[in-house]
Amino acid sequence: MKHLALYSVAGVALFAAGVLLSPSLQPAISAEASTVFAVERGKHLVTLSLCTDCHTPGYLRGTPDTERFLGGSETGFEIPGLGVFHGPNLTPDAATGLGNWTEEEIVTAFTTGVRPDGRNLAPIMPFHAFASFPHEDALAIAAYLKSLPPVVNEIPGPFGPNESPTGFVMKVVPPEPAPRQIAGP
């Protein structure tokens, strides 16, 4: 009799656990809560990925303009033989930022290096590093960028190798080849 009672209690406990853990019986997470989570996750990933460094005005010069956060940089990167490239506006401003891009287009651009119009991103953009982001994380980044307040900020350039840039430029200089060693007698 004692065993029957024990088995009954165990059976009820297992049944209750199955009911409580059943996904079909749990309240669904609201779309709003899911979006809030994605935006917060995207903010975290943008911070860890250092997007602010190249895409926030003043950041590379030690004076970040937080009023134009991720609004595009006035500091360009010169890549010898290719030209000068500026970190573009990542806010959802339709005229100067990503406002006309879908979240999937944003993800494709920063994970493959190809914009929605088919042009390649500047080689300084580390899209190769971002290609390994899980798609859910990449979408979270896009959701975060779309959630930012739009910033109107037309950045300069790009400038070809024979054009004169109009602002501050950081030059990427390849190393000199090592001198050849001559073996002695």
Side-chain angles (χ1 to χ4, degrees):
M1 191 68 153
K2 201 177 203 180
H3 292 302
L4 182 60
L6 183 60
Y7 290 138
S8 296
V9 169
V12 169
L14 286 172
F15 175 76
V19 168
L20 293 174
L21 296 176
S22 171
S24 63
L25 297 176
Q26 292 179 1
I29 297 175
S30 72
E32 183 179 331
S34 179
T35 300
V36 168
F37 175 79
V39 167
E40 285 302 311
R41 175 100 179 125
K43 179 180 180 180
H44 175 72
L45 292 167
V46 163
T47 302
L48 289 177
S49 300
L50 304 175
C51 300
T52 53
D53 293 14
C54 298
H55 296 277
T56 296
Y59 203 95
L60 291 171
R61 296 173 67 179
T63 56
D65 182 351
T66 56
E67 296 294 315
R68 297 186 299 156
F69 183 70
L70 294 173
S73 181
E74 76 289 347
T75 301
F77 291 93
E78 180 182 351
I79 301 174
L82 293 177
V84 175
F85 305 91
H86 293 259
N89 184 344
L90 299 182
T91 72
D93 179 63
T96 66
L98 303 177
N100 294 323
W101 294 24
T102 67
E103 289 184 9
E104 281 293 341
E105 289 172 330
I106 293 169
V107 167
T108 298
F110 78 79
T111 60
T112 69
V114 180
R115 296 167 38 107
D117 62 9
R119 293 187 305 164
N120 291 328
L121 298 180
I124 197 77
M125 174 64 188
F127 65 87
H128 293 95
F130 301 142
S132 63
F133 271 125
H135 193 67
E136 186 175 295
D137 285 347
L139 283 172
I141 290 170
Y144 172 63
L145 295 176
K146 288 293 226 175
S147 78
L148 295 170
V151 172
V152 177
N153 186 26
E154 186 73 38
I155 60 151
F159 300 95
N162 299 319
E163 296 178 295
S164 296
T166 58
F168 187 80
V169 174
M170 296 178 75
K171 188 172 189 171
V172 177
V173 182
E176 293 288 326
R180 290 186 60 174
Q181 299 287 331
I182 300 176

